[in-house]
Amino acid sequence: MVLVSACLSGLNPRFDGTNSNKKDIKALVACGNALPLCPEQLGGLTTLRLPIELEGADGRHKGAR
C-alpha cells in the first residue's frame, strides 16, 4: 500500500477547498493500490482556511541542525 496526498488524488482538502488532481495518482487510489491522506488535516489544520506562508524563515525549527 502506498500513501498519497489526498489533494493529488482528486479529493478537496486544500486550504481553499480545491485539489491538485493527478490522473495517475487518482487511478492508483481507485484501484486500491494507494491510500489518500491529508498531511495538513492530520496536523490539525482545517479545510477552508487562509493560506499559510513562511516569511523571514527557512522552515527549520530553531533547534534543528
Side-chain angles (χ1 to χ4, degrees):
M1 182 64 62
V2 176
L3 298 177
V4 296
S5 181
C7 66
L8 297 177
S9 69
L11 299 176
N12 297 317
R14 288 174 44 116
F15 73 93
D16 58 0
T18 64
N19 65 64
S20 299
N21 188 24
K22 301 292 181 189
K23 291 180 184 179
D24 53 341
I25 294 178
K26 189 173 185 176
L28 286 173
V29 172
C31 68
N33 291 326
L35 180 66
L37 60 84
C38 177
E40 288 95 349
Q41 289 179 347
L42 289 173
L45 297 175
T46 60
T47 299
L48 295 182
R49 60 176 164 76
L50 295 175
I52 296 173
E53 298 179 22
L54 293 175
E55 293 184 8
D58 62 7
R60 292 176 54 131
H61 186 273
K62 289 182 181 181
R65 294 185 181 161

